[in-house]
Amino acid sequence: MTRRLREALPESATLVATDLNEAMLAFAQAAVPAEDIVWRQADAQALVFGERSFDVVVCQFGFMFLPDKVQGFREARRVLDSGGLLLANVWHSLDANPAVGAVHALLARLFPDDPPRFLEAPYGYHDSERICADMSAAGWEDVQLEDVCLQDLAPSAADFAAGFTLGTPLTHELAARGSDIDAVTRALTAALIPVGGDRPFESQHAATVISAVR
């Protein structure tokens, strides 16, 4: 997202990119080596910026992870100037994202006594009434929610499966259970092929885009 914003914004615009995790920031800064991006470690529930510091706040699939979502929306509003825009998105449910839902379902079958639950966090904050209530509690009045559903192609079902077993916090959950990562990836691949094919693998992704004006 930071790369796309820098490409789209005029040179005169100041772009500040933040993350709670300093290692994530370091990786992003190496991946997007633009000199005109300010990189800052920050907690979305306690932003390190003054009131009315920004014209736009953008949060890509982040609000789902906040322990206190109302406080996160409150902080986003605090740092926006009058008339400033908040743009954010959150995933729909696992049922509405069938490929990811298939990953979650198979993990529950593979580990019936202690299933990995990471995916319940990013796909667990999708109720529009709750989102609106949380934003209202944070002081927002002009809120718009737009449902978006897009199709995506991965090179293969195996690549899609490996993205979860090797490139998400599921990696740590599987390691904590002493799992054979390669075996789990193969099992996920077999479960995903009926959902989106083998090569390429087609997946459906459903989310809500949140826009609000301060």
Side-chain angles (χ1 to χ4, degrees):
M1 181 187 68
T2 301
R3 180 188 293 110
R4 295 294 182 88
L5 285 172
R6 187 65 277 175
E7 292 170 353
L9 291 169
E11 292 183 2
S12 59
T14 299
L15 176 60
V16 181
T18 71
D19 197 276
L20 179 64
N21 188 309
E22 291 185 356
M24 294 278 282
L25 276 178
F27 184 90
Q29 188 170 5
V32 189
E35 295 182 358
D36 51 357
I37 300 174
V38 179
W39 300 92
R40 294 286 301 273
Q41 190 275 339
D43 182 347
Q45 300 166 122
L47 292 172
V48 294
F49 309 106
E51 294 187 10
R52 303 178 184 272
S53 298
F54 296 96
D55 298 309
V56 181
V57 170
V58 183
C59 182
Q60 177 177 271
F61 295 119
F63 279 107
M64 310 93 70
F65 296 106
L66 300 185
D68 189 339
K69 296 171 177 59
V70 173
Q71 178 61 16
F73 285 124
R74 185 180 293 121
E75 279 291 275
R77 188 175 187 275
R78 180 184 67 80
V79 301
L80 272 173
D81 201 358
S82 179
L85 175 67
L86 168 65
L87 286 174
N89 50 7
V90 295
W91 290 116
H92 283 190
S93 68
L94 287 165
D95 289 339
N97 290 274
V100 185
V103 171
H104 186 66
L106 180 63
L107 291 173
R109 294 196 296 273
L110 292 176
F111 305 92
D113 297 329
D114 184 22
R117 298 192 178 279
F118 163 69
L119 292 173
E120 294 176 2
Y123 293 89
Y125 187 61
H126 50 78
D127 181 80
S128 59
E129 291 185 3
R130 181 186 173 191
I131 295 169
C132 288
D134 286 348
M135 296 191 70
S136 177
W140 292 95
E141 296 178 355
D142 185 3
V143 177
Q144 302 293 325
L145 303 181
E146 179 186 0
D147 292 335
V148 177
C149 185
L150 298 174
Q151 301 294 120
D152 188 34
L153 285 178
S156 68
D159 286 308
F160 190 87
F164 284 91
T165 58
L166 299 176
T168 73
L170 280 176
T171 307
H172 307 297
E173 292 192 305
L174 293 172
R177 290 160 176 78
S179 306
D180 181 333
I181 298 293
D182 290 338
V184 173
T185 303
R186 289 194 296 270
L188 287 177
T189 300
L192 285 165
I193 289 173
V195 177
D198 187 5
R199 292 178 177 274
F201 178 76
E202 184 174 7
S203 54
Q204 173 182 299
H205 302 276
T208 295
V209 175
I210 303 166
S211 58
V213 177
R214 190 190 195 291

